Amino acid sequence: MRKLFNIALGLLCLCAASCAPKDPIEKKVDDLLSKMTLREKIGQMNQLSGGYSSIEAAAKGECGSILNCVDPVEINAVQKAAVEQSRLGIPVIASRDVIHGFHTVFPIPLGQAATFDPELVEKGARIAAIEATSYGIKWTFSPMLDIARDSRWGRVAEGSGEDVYLDATMGAAMVRGYQGADTQDPTSMAACIKHFVGYGAAEGGRDYNGVSIPERSLRNTYLPAFKAGVDAGALTLMTSFNENDGIPSTGNKWLLTDVLRNEWGFDGMVVTDWNSAGEMIAHGFAKDLKHSAELSLNAGVDMDMMSFGFIAHLEELVKEGKVSEKDIDRAVRNILRLKFRMGLFENPYVDEQKAGAMDYAPEHLAAAKQAALESAILLKNDENILPLTNKKTILLCGPLADNPYDQMGTWTFDGQKEHTVTPLAALQKDFNVIYEPVLASTRDLSTANLGKVRAAASRADAVVVVVGEEAIMSGEAHSMSDLRLKGAQSQLIEAARQTGKPVVAVIMAGRELTIGGDLKNCDAMLYCFHPGTMGGEALADLLTGRETPSGKLPMTMLVEAGQAPFYYNHNRGGRPCNGTETLLADIPLQAGQTSLGNTTYYLDSGYGPLFPFGYGLSYTEFEIKNVKLDKNSYGKDETVKISYDIANVGKVKGTEVAQLYVHDVVGSVARPVKELKRFARVTLEPGETKTLTFELPVAELAFYGLDMTCKVESGDFKLWVSNDSASGEPVDFEVR
Ligand code: BGC
């Protein structure tokens, strides 16, 4: 009887499912797919670079997307060929790397991460979409969600740094910003979460290098930001160049099908990175282009970027039975679904007259300035030398003090340097500025002009030195093994020091450099990353004290490049360092060999980093105390409620980022010493105290343990609310 009942129930459910009204987009996708020839389907899976050069392919239905064309007239011309000349009139989707702003350039993503301000990051992405879509660009290859723990890797600039939670939070914010509330809206731009996955762990920090990340680390560290991106509604995803344990991502079926589709239910579109399918030949994973097309399609790739393997070989592969038309249908469904979701069938063309109408709009510049303000990290401020109140004349020097191109940073194809406000341009409104670049570029090794610093400084009340990296020194394929300032920039800071005047060093760079030596030669240091179009104005506000720095390091800052990868959320190990160990200079000559009492540290560069993750000073001081939990024991479905007092105990208004860290003391596998779980930007007047709360569902303490399932394990936990990842006193609690 029970069995019969179950069968009846099953039938009822089946009927309900098939009788349920179909999602209108799915219906349209199916209708269109049923009319397509195999060749037309494969044509959709092909992406081409350029505008007019793609017209012929679009007219034949052999191009699903174009990239790197930003001329609305050209984009419309390709679209016209696709819509009016191809048999089924399927529109193309135009794409571009819009990474940190389109024309209005925001700080590089690593700088945006330093704001710890996801609302502002979302706003920046929205602005980028408004500007880019007005030119017809409907798809950006951003955000980059690669966890990056090695500043030698040039692409650290493009992501949110080393932390899982920060990366996931900022990534989701960008997805929401690009796509907006309604993907059919003309200003919506499809996001592409990339590079799936593990690309940021490139061995030795050398771009494109292989990685060796076991499944548990993938799931606990590298995949969560992508899951957050999927949950935020990202419409597309890009596979990464790297191989993990011998398997290139573009041919990794477990990753692209089992995890992404079957576990996470992603119904967006998967594109390869630039020729990453073809590069599987160089990896030694595919024997030729045809084989790479077979492997990537079968792994779960939908669209090929620039290997041309699909367009050249898929028909043949279907005939040979090596790929099925069913899998091709899957890919085409995902592509058509994207185009319907983006409203391209209804509105294929961009209004050429309105292109650029919002470029550099005042509200865009204001948001870019706000992002530059919040991304600046104050690393040192001896004797409260900053802000430079009561200083009338400053000597401004350094190769980046008036370098409108380089301050925009990597991946700014469309930013126009004519619109950049440099420190020189902005500071002249507030100070008498004596300007001496001294060095022609950040790589200039000549010390010939250093003498000018002394002469000019005699007329100034302070010296501001703007140094760092040119835009081209970070980003794709721009890894470095030495992270010190290049050229004679350190000598320039030293020369400034020798003048006896207060020295403020401003660093603009695509990564966190090893600036320990330079710190000693300045009174104050502001780390600005590449701050974008409005960097100069933001700097002027910070130097004059109209604004107070509030940025926090999104990566652990190293003493020496040789410490990399060095990140705060590492596992403890069996011999954790306690900071009292012997350093190189203290080892007696002919010391006997011993490992007793030895711990995890470097004899030469010491125990810790230069500055911890989450670190950043202000012109005022904050105290966080009275961290209290509502209970000390929680069930797995409960929420930990944490209250804390945060006080501004200094003399000016400021904003602090309160950070909540947790440590799971004993796990079925060892757990990181600390993990960021929440943060909040808190603005306080001098003398003001606020009592605030964080709420952390115990479910968010889950991880992939020994049995490789994701769950919360009972036991003891520690929790901190602090100003950075290295301070604060722990509070204990238990999970039952
Ligand atoms: C990069 C991607 C980028 C693509 C398209 C590749 O070289 O790795 O991040 O989106 O080019 O420009």
Side-chain angles (χ1 to χ4, degrees):
M1 188 63 197
R2 195 184 171 86
K3 204 169 166 189
L4 260 179
F5 175 76
N6 280 344
I7 293 173
L9 195 73
L11 278 174
L12 210 74
C13 291
L14 252 180
C15 172
S18 57
C19 306
K22 201 163 186 174
D23 175 344
I25 285 190
E26 295 310 309
K27 191 172 173 322
K28 287 182 197 167
V29 167
D30 285 344
D31 287 351
L32 189 50
L33 190 67
S34 68
K35 296 184 190 127
M36 294 172 81
T37 63
L38 179 60
R39 187 74 192 157
E40 283 165 339
K41 289 176 188 172
I42 295 167
Q44 284 301 307
M45 300 162 69
N46 190 31
Q47 186 180 50
L48 294 173
S49 178
Y52 290 129
S53 57
S54 311
I55 286 186
E56 204 182 315
K60 284 198 278 174
E62 293 190 351
C63 166
S65 169
I66 55 170
L67 79 156
N68 288 339
C69 174
V70 285
D71 179 345
V73 179
E74 256 185 271
I75 292 177
N76 274 346
V78 182
Q79 197 65 295
K80 196 166 159 45
V83 172
E84 293 178 23
Q85 291 176 38
S86 75
R87 190 179 74 91
L88 292 168
I90 302 173
V92 295
I93 180 162
S95 60
R96 178 72 157 174
D97 290 277
V98 180
I99 307 294
H100 49 112
F102 186 61
H103 280 156
T104 305
V105 177
F106 280 68
I108 54 168
L110 191 60
Q112 293 190 43
T115 67
F116 280 65
D117 189 345
E119 285 83 30
L120 184 59
V121 168
E122 179 173 340
K123 191 171 179 183
R126 187 84 288 273
I127 286 170
I130 290 170
E131 292 189 4
T133 52
S134 82
Y135 288 81
I137 295 154
K138 293 294 285 173
W139 179 21
T140 178
F141 303 124
S142 174
M144 185 187 97
L145 301 180
D146 297 305
I147 294 284
R149 293 173 160 181
D150 189 337
S151 282
R152 293 173 298 177
W153 189 52
R155 302 197 80 168
V156 292
E158 298 172 51
S160 296
E162 72 187 31
D163 182 67
V164 179
Y165 178 72
L166 184 62
D167 192 25
T169 307
M170 294 311 196
M174 284 194 188
V175 168
R176 289 193 300 271
Y178 289 133
Q179 296 184 177
D182 175 7
T183 60
Q184 308 264 334
D185 187 278
T187 68
S188 178
M189 177 161 71
C192 182
I193 50 179
K194 72 184 188 185
H195 308 84
F196 199 59
V197 65
Y199 182 43
E203 258 177 33
R206 292 198 299 284
D207 205 3
Y208 313 122
N209 211 5
V211 307
S212 227
I213 312 175
E215 183 180 342
R216 191 175 353 264
S217 301
L218 265 186
R219 290 186 178 277
N220 285 331
T221 303
Y222 293 89
L223 290 175
F226 285 91
K227 176 69 166 57
V230 167
D231 292 346
L235 293 175
T236 76
L237 172 144
M238 184 187 289
T239 65
S240 59
F241 284 128
N242 61 285
E243 60 178 63
N244 182 12
D245 196 20
I247 306 173
S249 302
T250 305
N252 190 332
K253 186 167 191 186
W254 173 78
L255 203 56
L256 301 180
T257 300
D258 298 355
V259 176
L260 181 65
R261 301 285 181 193
N262 300 342
E263 276 183 39
W264 297 357
F266 180 64
D267 67 356
M269 192 260 271
V270 173
V271 65
T272 68
D273 201 343
W274 185 286
N275 190 31
S276 66
E279 286 174 14
M280 293 201 292
I281 304 165
H283 279 278
F285 190 74
K287 55 180 186 289
D288 51 26
L289 192 61
K290 183 173 165 191
H291 190 204
S292 80
E294 173 191 336
L295 290 172
S296 51
L297 188 274
N298 287 339
V301 166
D302 300 324
M303 184 179 278
D304 171 51
M305 182 194 287
M306 302 304 291
S307 92
F308 310 110
F310 282 178
I311 196 82
H313 297 292
L314 277 184
E315 270 176 302
E316 222 179 314
L317 286 164
V318 171
K319 275 192 208 122
E320 291 167 12
K322 295 204 169 120
V323 307
S324 71
E325 196 158 349
K326 198 164 140 262
D327 279 323
I328 290 183
D329 285 354
R330 168 219 81 212
V332 178
R333 255 196 199 96
N334 293 334
I335 294 165
L336 296 178
R337 185 181 301 120
L338 169 70
K339 293 182 176 182
F340 278 114
R341 283 177 169 170
M342 293 304 293
L344 281 165
F345 286 89
E346 295 79 7
N347 293 305
Y349 299 109
V350 60
D351 183 344
E352 293 161 17
Q353 303 309 317
K354 293 202 181 131
M358 293 297 285
D359 285 356
Y360 304 108
E363 63 269 33
H364 294 191
L365 295 175
K369 177 174 165 184
Q370 189 62 27
L373 275 170
E374 292 184 18
S375 64
I377 306 163
L378 183 65
L379 292 178
K380 179 178 183 181
N381 195 17
D382 278 1
E383 320 265 325
N384 290 330
I385 201 77
L386 286 179
L388 295 173
T389 32
N390 305 325
K391 305 270 187 295
K392 290 203 173 69
T393 304
I394 58 167
L395 166 61
L396 180 66
C397 43
L400 295 176
D402 190 31
N403 192 328
Y405 176 76
D406 286 310
Q407 90 176 44
M408 291 192 292
T410 185
W411 284 115
T412 44
F413 288 143
D414 305 292
Q416 294 153 334
K417 64 178 182 180
E418 297 70 27
H419 289 264
T420 302
V421 185
T422 66
L424 175 63
L427 288 168
Q428 276 167 340
K429 295 186 202 140
D430 294 302
F431 300 96
N432 299 323
V433 176
I434 307 166
Y435 174 54
E436 280 292 355
V438 184
L439 301 175
S441 78
T442 69
R443 287 170 281 166
D444 184 353
L445 285 161
S446 163
T447 51
N449 288 328
L450 289 184
K452 289 186 178 173
V453 178
R454 178 175 288 276
S458 64
R459 293 181 281 134
D461 304 315
V463 187
V464 176
V465 192
V466 190
V467 292
E469 292 183 314
E470 290 148 58
I472 195 62
M473 286 156 72
S474 61
E476 185 175 352
H478 290 87
S479 297
M480 295 276 180
S481 61
D482 182 346
L483 298 178
R484 287 172 296 182
L485 287 171
K486 298 281 185 277
Q489 297 187 100
S490 292
Q491 287 99 310
L492 172 57
I493 299 176
E494 214 177 320
R497 175 53 132 205
Q498 281 162 8
T499 65
K501 296 288 163 87
V503 177
V504 179
V506 175
I507 315 284
M508 292 186 179
R511 52 163 70 77
E512 291 182 10
L513 296 165
T514 49
I515 38 78
D518 309 301
L519 263 185
K520 296 194 187 103
N521 286 325
C522 61
D523 300 282
M525 184 181 279
L526 263 176
Y527 209 95
C528 298
F529 297 102
H530 285 129
T533 304
M534 297 299 279
E537 282 209 12
L539 184 68
D541 279 3
L542 293 168
L543 294 188
T544 54
R546 285 190 292 270
E547 296 284 347
T548 307
S550 60
K552 297 283 181 176
L553 289 174
M555 292 181 75
T556 300
M557 191 172 256
L558 309 184
V559 177
E560 298 284 352
Q563 292 175 309
F566 192 2
Y567 45 94
Y568 84 94
N569 41 0
H570 57 84
N571 288 356
R572 186 181 298 280
R575 294 187 176 190
C577 172
N578 62 29
T580 59
E581 294 82 353
T582 316
L583 289 179
L584 198 58
D586 303 321
I587 299 179
L589 294 178
Q590 302 200 7
Q593 165 72 34
T594 174
S595 64
L596 283 181
N598 289 1
T599 65
T600 301
Y601 74 109
Y602 291 101
L603 287 170
D604 50 358
S605 57
Y607 324 108
L610 189 61
F611 293 111
F613 171 86
Y615 181 83
L617 302 169
S618 165
Y619 295 158
T620 187
E621 268 180 58
F622 298 96
E623 269 177 22
I624 296 178
K625 49 188 183 196
N626 294 331
V627 180
K628 287 185 199 133
L629 309 189
D630 60 329
K631 302 200 256 179
N632 52 24
S633 176
Y634 297 86
K636 289 187 179 150
D637 53 358
E638 291 187 276
T639 291
V640 186
K641 298 198 175 84
I642 306 117
S643 75
Y644 62 99
D645 294 343
I646 178 163
N648 179 347
V649 295
K651 296 197 177 64
V652 294
K653 181 179 168 182
T655 299
E656 177 62 310
V657 180
Q659 302 162 39
L660 170 69
Y661 295 91
V662 173
H663 171 55
D664 186 341
V665 180
V666 177
S668 64
V669 295
R671 302 293 297 138
V673 292
K674 274 187 184 179
E675 290 177 287
L676 183 68
K677 290 291 178 187
R678 289 284 184 279
F679 55 82
R681 285 177 61 85
V682 186
T683 301
L684 296 169
E685 296 294 336
E688 187 183 359
T689 301
K690 278 185 185 160
T691 301
L692 298 171
T693 51
F694 283 121
E695 297 206 348
L696 180 67
V698 171
E700 288 189 41
L701 301 172
F703 64 97
Y704 287 86
L706 196 59
D707 64 1
M708 208 57 109
T709 62
C710 187
K711 57 175 185 270
V712 180
E713 294 184 2
S714 309
D716 293 334
F717 288 77
K718 291 186 182 299
L719 172 156
W720 296 255
V721 181
S722 52
N723 318 59
D724 59 54
S725 62
S727 56
E729 289 302 317
V731 178
D732 298 324
F733 67 98
E734 171 206 51
V735 172
R736 300 183 300 272

